[in-house]
Amino acid sequence: MKKSLLLSVVASTMIMAGGDIAPVPAPVIVEEEVFPQWDFSGQAVLYYQTLDAYGAGSLFEQESSLANAGIQLNAVGKFDYGLSAGAQLSGLGTLGLENDVVSKTMQMPGIAEDGLTGAAITNIWLGWANDSTSFKYGRQDLPKALSPFAWSEKWNVFQNSYEAALLVNTSISDTVLVGAWVKKANHNGVFLGSNLSAFDNVNENDGIWMATVQNKSIAGLTLTGSWYYAADMFADENGQLNDLNILWGDASYANADLPVTFGLQGGTVTSDIFLNDTTAFGAKVGGSFDNFTVTAAYSSVDDGDAGVFNVGGVKTPLYTQMILNQNFIKSDNDTFLIKATMEALGGKFIAQYGATTMNDRLMNEVTGHYGDRDYAEFDFIYKTKVWNDSITLLAAYVNQTQDEMIVTTENGQDVLFEDSNNVIRFWARYNF
């Protein structure tokens, strides 16, 4: 909402000078903002997933399927002196599908008697900003590009969020400076493991501190470096507290005049309590040709005690991250990925294949297996937008293969699982 202040007004007046008739210059108008200003938005989601669980179930059976219906409402207000506030209410239900179609949910609202239907406040924050600096405190979403070990993952019904303080400064040319203190997270999981209301401490009362610098001074080149520090995060057998440090860097190059893109990433996760610190690195190269894109990526993570992780979710920041391979690539492995994307039939087709060698050095006492194990995943995805781009649709098929597994159940029986798992996922999002 705006009101106009007319600083110079002359209506239908002519100035007589030297016999010439000259029109008066157009009036000068200055626009002044009127506060408060409110922006309301939201989304409605239908989400379904089914899997055969390495032979333990069958696709589309009730016991092997999960589903949610959700609605999310957002409100953001802007006030005088650069102040702002925001809130987000996320509601989840099942539309009664748990009675006949599915047996589990992808996410839970947390404040409902049946654990299936209810609502959660997933964002509520206060903020301040001027031309170069912004500050936000409270429950909020964090971006992966600026916080690679604590970010909001978008693969589930709704993305996870954090209780944090976030400071962003852009006063240096082509540079973004970020500082954050992360206290809690409503961890993003699956199989009844994702409770949107359960904001748990990520490091007791100390939280985790993060600093990121991102620079784009060279055309096409983006350099990002992050440091995380968690004080007194681990206690050893003597009760001595130990800190956690994470250093992570990313360099990507993309030039509009060239059809090729490049990326390098790597870092370490260290603590005095670890027998082995974690070191990881990755590389990728991609090429675009009309409506077709191909990407090849590689990552390697050593056998460190911590691995590579997201403190509020389940994914990794590695270039080789796929739909479901996070547990296989986050520690002690080498992974290759090839990905192809094509725009066709009003949408985008994505096909990707990842091959992982898990460098297990300890023998499995049940299987007697010792040494390397292989894991592979193939994803085929179609994504499109309809109805004036307000509805996004996704259909995905995932095939996972790995060495046969023998799992000992609670009653002491050894169960042999097949080496292949199939997953089908559908979701629809209506943005309003």
Side-chain angles (χ1 to χ4, degrees), residues 145-312:
L146 297 176
S147 182
F149 279 73
W151 83 92
S152 299
E153 301 174 353
K154 298 182 179 181
W155 60 271
N156 212 332
V157 184
F158 298 128
Q159 63 183 357
N160 55 301
S161 51
Y162 297 83
E163 291 187 2
L166 178 68
L167 179 68
V168 180
N169 180 271
T170 58
S171 58
I172 302 175
S173 178
D174 299 318
T175 301
V176 179
L177 304 175
V178 182
W181 178 65
V182 181
K183 180 67 164 56
K184 295 183 178 183
N186 59 349
H187 299 269
N188 204 359
V190 73
F191 300 115
L192 302 179
S194 182
N195 189 328
L196 290 179
S197 289
F199 283 82
D200 301 318
N201 289 326
V202 296
N203 181 29
E204 297 302 329
N205 294 321
D206 292 318
I208 296 177
W209 295 90
M210 185 270 289
T212 290
V213 179
Q214 186 175 86
N215 181 267
K216 299 181 180 181
S217 297
I218 301 175
L221 180 64
T222 300
L223 300 174
T224 307
S226 298
W227 172 48
Y228 292 81
Y229 173 70
D232 300 336
M233 191 166 191
F234 304 107
D236 59 23
E237 65 275 8
N238 299 318
Q240 179 68 39
L241 296 174
N242 294 268
D243 303 338
L244 174 73
N245 284 275
I246 303 173
L247 291 174
W248 192 257
D250 186 286
S252 62
Y253 182 79
N255 191 316
D257 297 329
L258 297 175
V260 182
T261 60
F262 303 93
L264 291 172
Q265 64 178 186
T268 62
V269 183
T270 65
S271 177
D272 289 340
I273 198 174
F274 294 160
L275 295 177
N276 298 292
D277 294 332
T278 297
T279 301
F281 68 91
K284 66 178 179 179
V285 59
S288 298
F289 314 93
D290 295 327
N291 62 343
F292 187 75
T293 300
V294 177
T295 303
Y298 169 76
S299 68
S300 179
V301 185
D302 67 11
D303 60 350
D305 295 343
V308 180
F309 53 87
N310 177 12
V311 299

Side-chain angles (χ1 to χ4, degrees), residues 26-44:
V28 178
I29 300 176
V30 176
E31 301 288 347
E32 181 181 277
E33 289 188 292
V34 176
F35 296 104
Q37 299 176 11
W38 287 96
D39 180 33
F40 299 97
S41 62
Q43 62 171 324

